[in-house]
Amino acid sequence: MKTVLITGANKSIGFETARQLLQQGYYVYLGSRNIEKGQQAVETLHSEGLNQVEPIEIDVDNIESIKTARQLLGQKTEVLDVLINNAGISGDMPQTALETGVNGFKQVFETNFFGVIEVTQAFIDLLRASSEPRIVNVTSGLGSLTLHTDPAWKYYQIKPACYVASKAALNAYTILLAHELQDTPFKVNAVDPGYTATDFNHHTGPGTVPDAAARVIKAAVLGSDGPTGQFFSDDNVPDTGISPW
């Protein structure tokens, strides 16, 4: 049975990702900043007959929490097959390049960028023990710098400075990580789940949570012949599902 750790998985897309992976036979470590909320999420899954899941307390903004989670997970398994860096924040709005203070940028980068780096580095040894390790960084279509320079792009006018910059940085880290691991069995990809109706955007998105989770899972279960170092986005480029960086 393959194992997966999902950060920020007690609700929304992360939770649905956990549900669908459980249905596919994975053992899920459901990461949650608040262990009580994580336990509640697990109990919901148990009530659906999905029992191969347990909560892991992990606050991606806190390196000590990450280290504790790594130690705990190491006591439960010697192998982690999939890491899904799902936890993320939008930050306070509005966000502009000229008027948003640097602390606003730091807050968003702490979760969306630095947290991903620290979690990935903390769990990389368990991932290396897998025969088919997968890392999925949940990004946003708004992280495409190429499209942000195209006035014809449907989201061209949407430019929350902190959020866009953090996701562009996450995309860059994905490229670098995939390159560093290119001669190994790792598959490292960034996935845009799409503009989805969640608490994240006050349920304004047109997409559904199950569809968003399915996009994330597609990268998590790639076979040995699957791509690495890609930016998947059905929203940005429906025809191919591959977004420009």
Side-chain angles (χ1 to χ4, degrees):
M1 181 179 293
K2 288 191 173 182
T3 57
V4 54
L5 169 64
I6 311 170
T7 63
N10 60 282
K11 65 176 184 177
S12 194
I13 296 173
F15 177 75
E16 180 62 24
T17 300
R19 174 188 277 135
Q20 292 186 25
L21 282 172
L22 284 164
Q23 292 169 343
Q24 293 187 33
Y26 281 70
Y27 193 97
V28 175
Y29 295 101
L30 189 149
S32 176
R33 181 173 59 183
N34 180 294
I35 192 61
E36 287 77 17
K37 291 182 178 180
Q39 186 59 51
Q40 291 171 5
V42 166
E43 289 172 0
T44 297
L45 294 169
H46 285 175
S47 71
E48 299 173 7
L50 302 171
N51 297 312
Q52 302 299 321
V53 56
E54 58 184 291
I56 293 288
E57 183 174 9
I58 181 168
D59 180 353
V60 303
D61 293 352
N62 185 321
I63 187 59
E64 294 306 319
S65 174
I66 294 170
K67 289 179 179 178
T68 299
R70 165 60 186 85
Q71 183 178 23
L72 178 60
L73 196 64
Q75 295 170 356
K76 298 175 179 294
T77 180
E78 296 180 351
V79 179
L80 182 63
D81 296 289
V82 182
L83 170 62
I84 300 178
N85 287 305
N86 169 74
I89 63 172
S90 59
D92 296 332
M93 298 291 177
Q95 298 172 6
T96 66
L98 287 177
E99 297 181 358
T100 301
V102 70
N103 287 337
F105 282 87
K106 287 180 177 179
Q107 179 187 30
V108 178
F109 266 72
E110 190 65 44
T111 301
N112 294 359
F113 183 55
F114 297 122
V116 170
I117 295 171
E118 290 181 330
V119 169
T120 301
Q121 292 178 349
F123 288 89
I124 194 68
D125 59 332
L126 293 179
L127 287 161
R128 288 187 188 277
S130 171
S131 60
E132 294 186 314
R134 305 289 179 259
I135 298 175
V136 181
N137 293 331
V138 179
T139 186
S140 167
L142 294 177
S144 171
L145 297 180
T146 300
L147 293 176
H148 270 294
T149 63
D150 180 3
W153 184 39
K154 62 182 176 179
Y155 299 127
Y156 178 73
Q157 297 297 333
I158 303 176
K159 287 180 165 54
C162 306
Y163 184 72
V164 167
S166 72
K167 290 301 186 179
L170 175 62
N171 287 352
Y173 181 68
T174 303
I175 292 172
L176 298 170
L177 186 61
H179 179 78
E180 191 167 326
L181 296 169
Q182 64 181 328
D183 296 324
T184 74
F186 275 84
K187 304 294 181 184
V188 183
N189 293 289
V191 177
D192 165 28
Y195 188 15
T196 305
T198 66
D199 292 344
F200 197 84
N201 55 39
H202 307 289
H203 294 269
T204 58
T208 69
V209 169
D211 285 347
R215 294 185 181 104
V216 175
I217 290 170
K218 186 177 179 180
V221 302
L222 284 172
S224 59
D225 58 346
T228 189
Q230 293 288 344
F231 178 5
F232 296 114
S233 177
D234 293 338
D235 196 358
N236 281 348
V237 188
D239 292 343
T240 65
I242 305 294
S243 175
W245 294 101

